[in-house]
Amino acid sequence: MQIFEYNGSAVVAMVGKNCFAIASDRRLGVQLQTIATDFQRISKIHDRVFIGLSGLATDVQTLYQRLVFRHKLYQLREERDMKPETFASLVSAILYEKRFGPYLCQPVIAGLGDDDKPFICTMDSIGAKELAKDFVVSGTASESLYGACEAMYKPDMEAEELFETISQALLSSVDRDCLSGWGGHVYIVTPTEIKERILKGRMD
Amino acid sequence: MSQSAVDVPPKGGFSFDLCKRNDMLTQKGLKAPSFLKTGTTIVGLIFKDGVILGADTRATEGPIVADKNCEKIHYMAPNIYCCGAGTAADTEAVTDMVSSQLRLHRYQTGRDSRVITALTLLKKHLFSYQGHVSAALVLGGVDITGPHLHTIYPHGSTDTLPFATMGSGSLAAMSVFEAKYKEGLTRDEGIKLVAEAICSGIFNDLGSGSNVDICVITKGNKEYLRNYMEPNPRTYVSSKGYSFTKKTEVLLTKITPLLERVEITEVGEAMEE
């Protein structure tokens, strides 16, 4: 059994026109038994930066707490929020520090940078940053997600169309993965608002 | 978390706290995760006026292509660049670290960095981790003593060569170099040969793919030709795209309006003398 398949997860982020979307599934399992259907995988770091963590759930929560701590320290010292590129470098450094005994999770970071330019990136469990201009995926359903996003993605989509695209990509992919699913959680972030939506999916 | 492991910015280096837990999980039968590798074809050659480095742009995670257009030619100094193959996190971290060390060294000495300095810093680091930091590098640059090209293996051994290839596609690329390399190539001949060698890796090696990146370094000048060649464009792109007639069913919507970012310019009185 692969360690990433212990809890099951699916996270995807996509870039739109001056906005971004980040979505995850909601299942938390212990191998083949589902123990929660409302697990929060995507967390807000500040109004314009979100991080979705897939992988072992305990490391997801620990890593999130460490990152929030470091960001709060940064806010106290610098009196401003972290840019998404800076935050990505911070996560990469924290993960690489544990190179030989890593956190067993893969983050997906999405944010709005200066001039409301959307930024997304993902990393493997030791912090190798992978920047993308279109979409990034992570989790047990990642192979299906790669296929679905590759086919459904179009550049420069507006917020509503982006929501529809990312939801369809997520739900189609988790339908083909036993370990993730049970609905979806989608955040669409534009410069003026954050729209959080919970999707109805197959509950199996 | 234990009380002693307070998360203030650490003194540097690796931390091994989670090793015991990860070993326990492995013993219970859970396999460790696979890291992002850069399957790769990286090459370098010395031509008449300097050094040309080339790399493909595919990053793999097992058999899946994780990144179709990643950057494998890393900046070390204004006159030195380094291509990396192996575990992506290791190549990025090691080249970033040595690049910072070179910068500090430049400030201390007041001189341009030499390629051999970068070489020694890299090999010392890699040897001290006995090959566990899995980074195979092709280092090239032009300094005051002339153009130099080196290869560095994950265990810390190095070679100094007129042309070099590394990575899973190195055999494909080396065959091109061995057939066509000669001393005193011009810039255009050199670029053409490097592009041919990388293409040979892209088409024949499954771990390499996508586009060709080239970096030309000469005395006092460098040119980073990102995506110099794109021999694998998307062949069929549907003009209509996807349209979803059946909308996704939404259970709950929560809208949080964001405050407008206000620029505050301080209007105050001048300090009293």
Side-chain angles (χ1 to χ4, degrees), chain B residues 190-208:
Chain B
I191 291 181
K192 192 159 158 285
L193 186 58
V194 165
E196 217 182 312
I198 300 285
C199 282
S200 149
I202 287 174
F203 293 122
N204 298 303
D205 174 41
L206 298 176
S208 319

Side-chain angles (χ1 to χ4, degrees), chain B residues 43-48 51-54 177 181-182 184-197 214 216 228:
Chain B
V43 307
L45 63 68
I46 296 191
F47 72 110
K48 201 160 50 121
V51 170
I52 305 179
L53 298 172
F177 274 173
Y181 180 81
K182 55 185 204 290
L185 288 163
T186 62
R187 182 176 176 278
D188 291 326
E189 285 173 351
I191 291 181
K192 192 159 158 285
L193 186 58
V194 165
E196 217 182 312
I214 294 199
V216 183
Y228 172 74

Side-chain angles (χ1 to χ4, degrees), chain A residues 130 135 137 141-151, chain B residues 61 64-66:
Chain A
E130 199 191 296
F135 58 86
V137 306
S142 62
E143 292 178 25
S144 314
L145 276 165
Y146 273 125
C149 292
E150 190 75 56
Chain B
E61 202 161 356
I64 306 288
V65 176

